[in-house]
Amino acid sequence: LYGWEDLVFTHLSARVPGPEHHFLINPYGWLFDEITASSLIKVDSEGEIVDPGATNRVNPAGFTIHSAIHAVRDDANCVMHTHTIAGVAVSAQQEGLLALSQQSLFPLASLAYHDYEGVALRKDEKARLQADLGDANFMILRNHGLLTVGSSIADAFLGMFILQRACEIQLRALSGNRPLTPIPDGIVNTIKQQASQVTKGMGGNLAWPGLLRKLDR
């Protein structure tokens, strides 16, 4: 709906409740508008498909990224990763995300970066992904794209919406060929306290019911 897909090459995951550390991930080779609940794939921490008789495949790079995060972040019940034009463009800019808009402040309050190492297929990259993310909820993967984590699907989605919008605004502002007005550091540093006020303490759940109503319509 928001144009975040990259044919079949991006991936989302959600942790399955229980001690097994399983998570659901979208099937490799399926367009987003084809995917239903029953086509999601349940995998374990080693990338093995849990559901007997499952015929869908898992994107190997997707497994590397998502399993790395789920393994060390118990609070990351949902992980979203995108390759949008705006997100990849900002990820390629040396200074990364700039404090140019109100939207940029929320990611900047909890933002990490991970340097590009090629397609994420090697197991040894997991440790570096984990170390770079730390306790941040937003990550820009250099020359690659955007990533958000959340304690709920709603939180991860809202985080991605805001990060994506901040990247779109940054590209428009930089293309205007006029002097820019950065937001002062003092204001940037206050955003963590203001974030919960903006969402009335509900986080992503403030917008999520409206998004579900949109899907129903």
Side-chain angles (χ1 to χ4, degrees):
L1 181 64
Y2 290 103
W4 300 349
E5 78 282 7
D6 183 21
L7 288 180
V8 299
F9 300 109
T10 52
H11 22 87
L12 321 170
S13 66
R15 191 191 310 275
V16 177
E20 298 88 358
H21 301 290
H22 295 162
F23 60 89
L24 298 171
I25 193 166
N26 54 302
Y28 197 25
W30 290 49
L31 300 173
F32 278 13
D33 62 4
E34 297 179 303
I35 298 170
T36 63
S38 59
S39 61
L40 297 173
I41 306 173
K42 187 190 295 184
V43 296
D44 63 20
S45 59
E46 299 302 318
E48 297 297 325
I49 296 176
V50 174
D51 296 322
T55 58
N56 294 332
R57 296 173 295 169
V58 176
N59 182 329
F63 171 74
T64 298
I65 293 170
H66 290 260
S67 64
I69 295 171
H70 285 299
V72 297
R73 288 283 299 270
D74 290 339
D75 62 321
N77 290 319
C78 180
V79 180
M80 297 188 68
H81 172 51
T82 62
H83 300 156
T84 62
I85 293 173
V88 176
V90 170
S91 79
Q93 294 178 345
Q94 191 171 47
E95 294 180 289
L97 187 65
L98 303 173
L100 295 177
S101 66
Q102 179 169 273
Q103 287 83 350
S104 71
L105 300 186
F106 299 96
L108 285 171
S110 184
L111 181 62
Y113 290 87
H114 176 67
D115 288 338
Y116 189 64
E117 300 185 24
V119 178
L121 299 176
R122 301 190 315 276
K123 288 186 177 181
D124 63 298
E125 188 176 355
K126 284 187 177 185
R128 292 183 289 278
L129 272 165
Q130 294 164 343
D132 288 340
L133 179 63
D135 61 358
N137 292 324
F138 301 83
M139 175 177 272
I140 293 179
L141 292 89
R142 296 284 191 184
N143 312 100
H144 186 173
L146 308 177
L147 184 144
T148 59
V149 306
S151 60
S152 67
I153 295 171
D155 285 347
F157 185 93
L158 181 61
M160 184 60 74
F161 182 91
I162 295 170
L163 179 56
Q164 170 68 20
R165 184 59 57 87
C167 290
E168 293 170 355
I169 292 169
Q170 178 167 320
L171 294 182
R172 295 286 186 93
L174 293 175
S175 69
N177 197 29
R178 304 296 299 170
L180 300 177
T181 305
I183 297 173
D185 289 343
I187 296 178
V188 173
N189 294 334
T190 65
I191 199 64
K192 285 187 178 181
Q193 290 74 36
Q194 295 176 335
S196 62
Q197 296 174 345
V198 170
T199 62
K200 305 295 184 181
M202 298 172 64
N205 285 324
L206 181 65
W208 192 244
L211 291 165
L212 297 184
R213 292 193 298 270
K214 181 188 287 288
L215 289 177
D216 287 340
R217 291 194 299 271

